[in-house]
Amino acid sequence: QTPDIEGAVVLIDPNSGKVTAEIGGYSYQRSQFNRVTQSFRQPGSAFKPILYLAAIDGFKYTPATIVYDQPRTFRVGDQFWTPGNFDNAYLGAIPLRTGLERSRNLVSADIISRIGIDAVIQYAKKLGITAKLGYNLSLSLGSSEVTPLELVRAYGVFAAKGVLFDTVYITRILNRDGKELYNFEEQKLNRAKRVINENSAFIMANLMKGVVEHGTGYRVKEIGRPVAGKTGTSNDLMDAWFIGYTPSWVAGVWAGFDQKKEIGDK
């Protein structure tokens, strides 16, 4: 039957910023709303690589740094916050690498409590995220809404070895006589901006490759290519994400209902 659930897909060349394919929903006839560029949704765990980048690039964390996946309550002013893991289990002291591969919420909460919310917001902005991010510890679990396009562009920085490119839809403009007025290829390098260290981008690629090899993104292994990426599920299972990349492509997929409601268990 015609599905009620909606979806969005965007594919970008991370080494130029060029959008190669974009699907904004199930049917343009049914809805002209473009979910790639206009839909602000909670990324859930798909936001965690930005947190991990802040820890690695700014605070000298390594894939082997020991982090803590254990029950904990955080105090913020007069408020108390007790996050949980999706499986209600805890792994205790584990390497940072395992924290991302297994998408442990308590590890992310522990990291942001140590490095601070400001650092995470700063790195999100460096990666080209322009959405307003909430100033709270739950930012580490992807509670602040972003568009699929923003998140895919941010992952593109990892694929492009630390360089951010503006998103490009128009590559050439000709006048009525066929004379070229604009060619994006000629200006491509002017639009490139190094925003993080190449080594940090390499480490993140290595960590996110582990997510696909033996973590939450294991189903992607079937395509038989080296892929790095991250899954994401938002509060109350209202959004499902996967953002992944190879050296030459970065793609993002989102599924959920336009009117926010639970998709279903798992």
Side-chain angles (χ1 to χ4, degrees):
Q1 81 274 11
T2 303
D4 289 329
I5 201 165
E6 273 294 353
V9 181
V10 58
L11 176 73
I12 292 178
D13 175 353
N15 299 303
S16 68
K18 193 156 66 175
V19 176
T20 304
E22 178 177 295
I23 301 169
Y26 174 74
S27 158
Y28 185 77
Q29 281 66 42
R30 188 169 79 174
S31 160
Q32 284 87 59
F33 184 60
N34 185 341
R35 289 153 194 84
V36 169
T37 58
Q38 295 176 292
S39 184
F40 285 85
R41 305 294 294 221
Q42 286 186 331
S45 297
F47 188 83
K48 286 177 184 171
I50 297 170
L51 166 80
Y52 277 66
L53 170 70
I56 287 165
D57 196 63
F59 293 85
K60 307 230 173 351
Y61 278 58
T62 75
T65 299
I66 296 300
V67 288
Y68 298 94
D69 179 27
Q70 54 198 29
R72 191 176 158 194
T73 295
F74 298 85
R75 182 173 181 167
V76 186
D78 301 332
Q79 304 285 317
F80 292 93
W81 180 52
T82 309
N85 286 326
F86 66 93
D87 56 1
N88 295 316
Y90 302 93
L91 304 177
I94 54 174
L96 187 76
R97 174 186 295 284
T98 305
L100 189 63
E101 286 176 1
R102 305 281 290 276
S103 203
R104 310 312 288 170
N105 285 350
L106 268 296
V107 168
S108 297
D110 182 58
I111 292 170
I112 199 171
S113 74
R114 292 170 191 273
I115 70 174
I117 300 165
D118 286 313
V120 180
I121 291 175
Q122 180 192 346
Y123 272 88
K125 287 183 174 165
K126 274 187 184 186
L127 297 184
I129 287 180
T130 55
K132 187 168 172 35
L133 301 175
Y135 196 83
N136 48 54
L137 293 179
S138 66
L139 175 66
S140 63
L141 307 185
S143 62
S144 288
E145 298 178 334
V146 296
T147 66
L149 182 63
E150 284 182 296
L151 204 53
V152 171
R153 184 170 58 211
Y155 275 60
V157 174
F158 301 133
K161 301 178 180 171
V163 176
L164 173 68
F165 286 88
D166 290 342
T167 304
V168 175
Y169 284 93
I170 296 169
T171 54
R172 287 178 81 210
I173 300 173
L174 309 178
N175 70 8
R176 68 178 70 183
D177 304 316
K179 184 178 176 227
E180 190 172 76
L181 303 177
Y182 165 80
N183 187 328
F184 125 92
E185 288 291 340
E186 293 166 2
Q187 300 182 24
K188 186 167 75 173
L189 292 179
N190 298 339
R191 306 169 74 112
K193 184 180 174 194
R194 172 161 297 286
V195 291
I196 61 167
N197 185 300
E198 186 174 345
N199 295 339
S200 298
F202 175 83
I203 292 168
M204 288 305 304
N206 190 268
L207 287 180
M208 283 194 271
K209 201 172 160 193
V211 171
V212 172
E213 293 292 323
H214 28 72
T216 55
Y218 69 95
R219 289 191 179 278
V220 180
K221 265 203 297 198
E222 288 178 24
I223 67 170
R225 301 274 180 95
V227 179
K230 185 73 189 77
T231 53
T233 314
S234 70
N235 277 339
D236 301 322
L237 303 165
M238 289 193 291
D239 303 89
W241 299 75
F242 180 73
I243 319 281
Y245 62 93
T246 66
S248 44
W249 297 108
V250 55
V253 181
W254 166 85
F257 292 102
D258 284 340
Q259 300 297 323
K260 295 174 186 173
K261 61 180 180 179
E262 195 172 310
I263 298 170
D265 187 35
K266 298 181 182 173

